[in-house]
Amino acid sequence: DAKTTQPTSMDCAEGRAANLPCNHSTISGNEYVYWYRQIHSQGPQYIIHGLKNNETNEMASLIITEDRKSSTLILPHATLRDTAVYYCIVRLLTSGTYKYIFGTGTRLKVLA
Amino acid sequence: GAVVSQHPSRVICKSGTSVKIECRSLDFQATTMFWYRQFPKKSLMLMATSNEGSKATYEQGVEKDKFLINHASLTLSTLTVTSAHPEDSSFYICSARDFNSYGDIQYFGAGTRLSVL
């Protein structure tokens, strides 16, 4: 079962920041949080990941709470091309292999 | 970023035939690749973990004789859907695990849409 909970859908105005929340209250100390997005009928695209520190790259910022039970993905200036399903994933170690178990994701719609 | 190529992107076949899907890591070597399945408007479901040079590990409920996985090289994994039936119609996606300067990341292929008539 997925270890993450996300809102089903969100809207964001073009040019504004999109803040996508994720709850992962059962996360273990050495489990990373990954964010991907999937545009219709394509494979998921890697965005960012982190363990406990906030992270930033050219696509987004990831804010992880101090207790690590939740995180927020921030797209600083959303564009229409950012419309997609965003998945927050806690990477699990099972049977000696790190695996992604996808949750339901958040369907972000960027409005013109 | 790392590139994963998946082929074919779309396949239509008759019931009872077998279909092979290829997943290639183009600019890195991947000892571990993964196969997922996705139904319309649903999330990705992990089917199996493919390890180079060894047998694949299947998730609970996935028939290993129906979905044959081969990972014969560090850049290629294949998924063969044997004796396909209409209920096997779905979007199949592979990923390859890479360790690079950004960390330990799975990179995904573009997916294969299988339609069984």
Side-chain angles (χ1 to χ4, degrees):
Chain A
D1 290 340
K3 295 185 68 171
T4 61
T5 304
Q6 299 175 253
T8 302
S9 63
M10 293 181 64
D11 290 342
C12 176
E14 187 179 21
R16 304 298 293 269
N19 296 281
L20 292 89
C22 179
N23 287 322
H24 31 79
S25 57
T26 61
I27 194 170
S28 299
N30 59 353
E31 291 176 336
Y32 280 75
V33 178
Y34 287 75
W35 282 83
Y36 283 77
R37 70 182 182 184
Q38 185 179 27
I39 297 171
H40 183 62
S41 296
Q42 297 181 25
Q45 176 190 21
Y46 167 77
I47 301 173
I48 200 167
H49 73 285
L51 182 62
K52 55 183 178 181
N53 297 322
N54 297 337
E55 302 288 344
T56 295
N57 63 21
E58 64 276 8
M59 290 184 68
S61 294
L62 173 60
I63 308 299
I64 302 174
T65 58
E66 193 169 340
D67 62 8
R68 302 210 325 118
K69 293 185 176 182
S70 66
S71 61
T72 301
L73 178 74
I74 301 173
L75 307 178
H77 306 287
T79 70
L80 298 178
R81 289 181 296 178
D82 292 322
T83 292
V85 178
Y86 286 77
Y87 293 101
C88 166
I89 301 162
V90 171
R91 188 186 67 171
L92 304 178
L93 178 61
T94 59
S95 303
T97 301
Y98 286 105
K99 300 178 182 178
Y100 292 171
I101 305 300
F102 281 75
T104 55
T106 296
R107 188 172 297 275
L108 175 69
K109 188 173 183 179
V110 180
L111 306 172
Chain B
V3 179
V4 174
S5 173
Q6 190 171 340
H7 178 80
S9 58
R10 187 179 186 100
V11 58
I12 301 172
C13 70
K14 293 182 179 180
S15 185
T17 61
S18 294
V19 175
K20 180 185 283 188
I21 303 170
E22 292 187 347
C23 181
R24 294 180 185 275
S25 56
L26 297 187
D27 50 0
F28 65 100
Q29 294 182 329
T31 56
T32 305
M33 293 185 175
F34 302 86
W35 288 95
Y36 297 82
R37 184 174 182 176
Q38 186 175 32
F39 291 106
K41 298 190 183 299
K42 299 293 185 182
S43 185
L44 281 74
M45 181 186 73
L46 179 64
M47 300 175 64
T49 301
S50 170
N51 297 296
E52 187 268 338
S54 64
K55 290 183 179 180
T57 304
Y58 291 82
E59 296 299 304
Q60 190 173 6
V62 178
E63 299 177 58
K64 60 181 181 181
D65 295 329
K66 160 67 82 173
F67 300 101
L68 299 179
I69 292 172
N70 183 276
H71 193 159
S73 79
L74 288 172
T75 58
L76 174 64
S77 175
T78 61
L79 169 69
T80 300
V81 183
T82 62
S83 186
H85 289 93
E87 57 266 29
D88 298 323
S89 298
S90 190
F91 192 51
Y92 293 88
I93 310 171
C94 72
S95 71
R97 186 181 178 196
D98 186 30
F99 299 86
N100 55 37
S101 58
Y102 300 103
D104 180 358
I105 298 168
Q106 283 188 35
Y107 293 95
F108 286 80
T112 296
R113 187 162 302 283
L114 171 64
S115 299
V116 185
L117 305 178

